[in-house]
Amino acid sequence: MADPLERLARTALAHAHAPYSRFRVGAAIETDDGRRFFGCNVENVSYGLTVCAERNAVAAGVAEGARRFVRLVIVTEQDPPAPPCGACRQVLMEFGPELEVRTLGRTEERRWTLAALLPAPFRFDATTKGS
Ligand code: THU
């Protein structure tokens, strides 16, 4: 496992809190200046409060001032490897469509750009607010 971002994602996966779905996810994200952040999914007994690994990784970066994310590695324990959910795609899109997304399952791997995963993101023009 040469990729340090993958190593971080695997560490996060080991810390996933997924007692309800038993679907553990680890994610690690890297900035253009080489900083790395990671997160795991954190489930809750009130199921809808669950937060995905990808969003926790992004939040960890944003909290330290990171914005220019270039690469995301997601690790799960099932094949085929799962791409990020729709909510996470939209959250990731906030920081740019160029993000390279690599997802690793048990033995398989898939890659996309964020733009390919979310071709029509929600946007609005914040300078022309309604009444
Ligand atoms: N999950 C993620 O962590 N990332 C995704 O992109 C999709 C789903 C988590 C949420 C929940 O804890 C479990 O996977 C099953 O949905």
Side-chain angles (χ1 to χ4, degrees):
M1 193 205 307
D3 185 353
L5 205 56
E6 178 183 340
R7 208 161 38 237
L8 276 180
R10 290 198 183 282
T11 300
L13 171 107
H15 296 144
H17 178 67
Y20 306 106
S21 73
R22 308 250 171 227
F23 186 70
R24 301 193 299 167
V25 186
I29 198 162
E30 189 170 67
T31 58
D32 63 351
D33 59 356
R35 287 184 293 160
R36 302 185 187 106
F37 307 93
F38 55 91
C40 59
N41 54 331
V42 180
E43 298 187 346
N44 189 270
V45 63
S46 177
Y47 295 175
L49 300 183
T50 291
V51 183
C52 295
E54 297 89 328
R55 271 178 285 158
N56 280 330
V58 168
V62 171
E64 290 205 40
R67 294 290 187 277
R68 295 195 304 271
F69 300 111
V70 293
R71 209 157 66 88
L72 172 70
V73 172
I74 303 161
V75 181
T76 63
E77 298 167 300
Q78 286 179 21
D79 289 324
C85 78
C88 288
R89 294 178 200 195
Q90 181 70 36
V91 169
L92 292 165
M93 186 58 80
E94 184 75 13
F95 304 101
E98 306 293 319
L99 184 74
E100 178 195 314
V101 180
R102 179 175 173 226
T103 301
L104 302 161
R106 206 172 48 80
T107 60
E108 297 171 26
E109 166 173 351
R110 297 173 76 185
R111 284 171 190 265
W112 303 267
T113 63
L114 184 59
L117 287 173
L118 189 63
F122 171 74
R123 289 201 176 94
F124 79 104
D125 182 353
T127 61
T128 53
K129 295 197 186 81
S131 48

